[in-house]
Amino acid sequence: MRIARFSTGEGVAFGVVEGAQGEEFVSRVAGHPFGEIQFTGERYPLQEVRLVTPMLPSKVIAVGRNYAEHAREMGGEPPAEPLIFSKPSTSVIGHGEAIVYPHKLSERVDYEGELAVVIGRLCREVPVERAHEVVFGYTCANDVTARDLQSKDGQWTRAKGFDTFCPLGPWIQTDLDSSDLAITTTVNGELKQSARTSQLIHDIPKLIAYITEVMTLIPGDVILTGTPEGVGPLDDGDEVSVGIEGIGTLTNRVVPRD
C-alpha cells in the first residue's frame, strides 16, 4: 500500500495511492494512517494534487558510513557499530519541493540517496527479531549535506541540519521486503549512485534495535539507513532524483537561498 500525504489547495490530508502507472488516483483516508485505514470516499487524480512530505517526524535519525565503499570514499573504514546522528524535523521537505543552497555558509552541498524507514508505533529497546513489528513502511530520502562544514565542524549537526536538507517521498510503501532493493541517485538525469540495500553493513533490524537502546521512537519517526558510494556536489538549478525499487522516485531541484 502506498500512503501519501497530499494537498488539494484546501488543506493537507493522507490518502492511499492506487491505480496503474499514469492513471493513479489518491483515495483520501480519515485522520492518520496509523492503525485501521478508513476511507472517506473522496478520490483525486494524482496529477491534480500536490504531494507533500509523507510524514512530519518528531525526529530523523540517520546512519553514517553504512555501505563499505562509501565509508572508504570518505576516507575511513566501515564502523564496527552503527554511526548515528540526527537531522532536525525542520530539515524535512517533500517530493518536488526545493533544496535551498546556503551559499553564504557553504561552498559544497552534496546529495546522498538513501532508503528511509518510517516507524509505526511507540517503541523502545526493540529486539532484533521483533524489529519488523515497529516498521510502518519505507520511503526514499536524500540526506543532503554541506560537505565542507561537515569536515570543518568535526560533528555533523550544522552540515546535516539546514532547512530543506532532508527530502522524503514521494510516499510511504507499507508492503515491501526491504532486504535487497535497488537504489539509484541521478543528477540532471546522469546516474551518480547505484547499489542494493543488501549491501548495508548494519541491516534494518539491527539499526532499529541499536537506536531504540538509546531513545524512544514514536509513530512517524524516520531512520535514514545510509548512502552508497558515489556522493557528489549539487549546484543551483540541478535536479536530483533518488529512486528505490518497489517504492518510486523522489525528485527535488536545487535553488539558491535569497
Side-chain angles (χ1 to χ4, degrees), residues 16 51 55 58 76-78 117 127 131 133-134 139 141 170 179 182 218 222 239 250 256:
V16 175
L51 295 176
M55 281 293 162
S58 76
E77 289 300 312
V117 182
E133 297 177 16
V134 307
T139 192
S179 61
I218 67 175
V222 171
E239 184 178 83
L250 167 70

Side-chain angles (χ1 to χ4, degrees), residues 9 26 29 47 61 68 84 102 106 111 124-125 136 166 209 211 249:
V26 183
V29 300
Q47 66 270 21
I61 305 301
I84 64 173
S106 175
Y111 56 83
R124 182 173 179 268
E125 297 181 348
F136 179 69
C166 188
I211 292 166
T249 302

Side-chain angles (χ1 to χ4, degrees), residues 67-138:
Y67 287 81
E69 293 306 315
H70 172 62
R72 295 186 181 106
E73 78 175 343
M74 299 305 293
E77 289 300 312
E81 295 183 313
L83 175 61
I84 64 173
F85 59 94
S86 63
K87 295 172 78 82
S89 59
T90 47
S91 67
V92 174
I93 58 173
H95 172 75
E97 296 185 71
I99 298 167
V100 179
Y101 198 128
H103 285 285
K104 291 182 180 179
L105 296 174
S106 175
E107 296 180 354
R108 174 163 172 168
V109 169
D110 282 13
Y111 56 83
E112 294 190 6
E114 310 198 9
L115 173 68
V117 182
V118 180
I119 297 299
R121 56 186 284 191
L122 183 76
C123 58
R124 182 173 179 268
E125 297 181 348
V126 179
V128 168
E129 62 272 15
R130 298 189 63 185
H132 66 280
E133 297 177 16
V134 307
V135 175
F136 179 69
Y138 304 90

